Amino acid sequence: MRIAIASGKGGTGKTTVATNLAHVAAHVGQTVAYLDCDVEEPNGHIFLAPRIVQERPVCKPVPQVDETLCTHCGTCGEVCQYSAIVCIGRKVLVYPELCHACGGCAMCCPAHAICEASRSIGTLRLGCSGAVQFVNGLLNVGEAMSPPVIRAVRRAAPVCNVTIVDAPPGTSCPVITSIRGCDFVVLVTEPTPFGLNDLQLAVAMVRELKIPFGVVINRAGAGDDRVGDYCRAEGIALLDEIPDDRRIAEAYSRGLLACQVMPSLREQFRGLLDRIQQAVAV
């Protein structure tokens, strides 16, 4: 069972839900993998404190031009939809940060002057936190595209009963890359006008992808009930409400799991896991 934890905006408590859910699933005897796909700013390791046993680079192929063979016909630039390679006069310019590694320029070059070279764009880390298998990725500073690193994290996932995918915030390509192929998506939101607005965008995204989903309201009681009203009106399962409790915030600030600080939350997250499993089984 692959469960993605996502949110329409940052700061809603997505990683809080993901890490505590992984910890509780392992506590009840499930084999669990936690995948931190927020590769631009991963922070799940702060709370799970894994022992890293392997690090390796994430690479992608980018075009490399042999100027001795190039006829400067410009076909490569015409083929590339992202302007990652352009021919200007007698010079071919390559912008590796824009390259989507499709290989089209090399395939279409009539002079066979283009090959592909490997380029490091990030780092993949594998380890364990107690019984939780841990995988995360870190995009190199200055890189424009995170999906290749996210795909590397997904491919490195060990086979487990429960896989928790901690997705990046928002509704753009990195999020879609993270949640595609998952069995269920938990959308974490907060009871504020901003939370509701971005939840609506996230709901539209998962409906377009046709993935079953439900909503968790974090910091419940700190705002109004418009998020709950929206979920009821749209027929969206409201899976849980995590209270607005200072102890949770203090645990977060110290890099601790909330369910370890508040024993009552352990049972709450266990109930959340049961409801997700029931929803997936339907």
Side-chain angles (χ1 to χ4, degrees), residues 51-147:
R51 179 175 61 87
I52 301 300
V53 298
Q54 184 180 2
E55 287 192 16
R56 58 176 184 256
V58 178
C59 300
K60 75 172 183 180
V62 296
Q64 191 171 59
V65 181
D66 185 344
E67 291 285 356
T68 63
L69 298 176
C70 180
T71 62
H72 306 98
C73 65
T75 301
C76 55
E78 294 171 2
V79 168
C80 184
Q81 300 297 301
Y82 304 99
S83 299
I85 184 168
V86 293
C87 183
I88 301 176
R90 305 296 295 176
K91 183 70 175 177
V92 179
L93 303 178
V94 177
Y95 301 97
E97 295 85 0
L98 300 179
C99 180
H100 282 58
C102 69
C105 57
M107 292 175 62
C108 296
C109 178
H112 304 291
I114 301 176
C115 63
E116 290 183 320
S118 182
R119 177 173 178 271
S120 175
I121 60 170
T123 304
L124 185 71
R125 303 196 309 163
L126 299 91
C128 59
S129 172
V132 177
Q133 298 297 309
F134 179 92
V135 184
N136 81 349
L138 180 63
L139 187 71
N140 288 346
V141 174
E143 291 294 333
M145 291 181 294
S146 60

Side-chain angles (χ1 to χ4, degrees), residues 132-173:
V132 177
Q133 298 297 309
F134 179 92
V135 184
N136 81 349
L138 180 63
L139 187 71
N140 288 346
V141 174
E143 291 294 333
M145 291 181 294
S146 60
V149 180
I150 294 171
R151 285 191 286 270
V153 172
R154 292 288 305 269
R155 287 194 298 268
V159 178
C160 293
N161 298 135
V162 177
T163 299
I164 306 292
V165 178
D166 191 351
T171 56
S172 58
C173 292

Side-chain angles (χ1 to χ4, degrees), residues 217-268:
I217 299 177
N218 189 30
R219 293 190 284 272
D224 52 46
D225 197 38
R226 279 182 284 185
V227 169
D229 292 341
Y230 165 75
C231 291
R232 287 184 284 271
E234 290 289 321
I236 300 169
L238 188 54
L239 299 170
D240 211 341
E241 297 186 33
I242 300 172
D244 181 33
D245 193 304
R246 182 183 178 88
R247 289 172 294 175
I248 298 175
E250 289 177 348
Y252 185 91
S253 70
R254 296 198 301 269
L256 301 175
L257 291 169
C259 64
Q260 293 176 316
V261 175
M262 294 177 60
S264 60
L265 280 181
R266 186 183 298 275
E267 289 305 312
Q268 186 168 349

Side-chain angles (χ1 to χ4, degrees), residues 15-38:
T15 295
T16 295
V17 172
T19 53
N20 281 275
L21 202 59
H23 176 80
V24 167
H27 185 74
V28 298
Q30 303 269 20
T31 57
V32 182
Y34 169 84
L35 313 182
D36 194 343
C37 290
D38 189 0

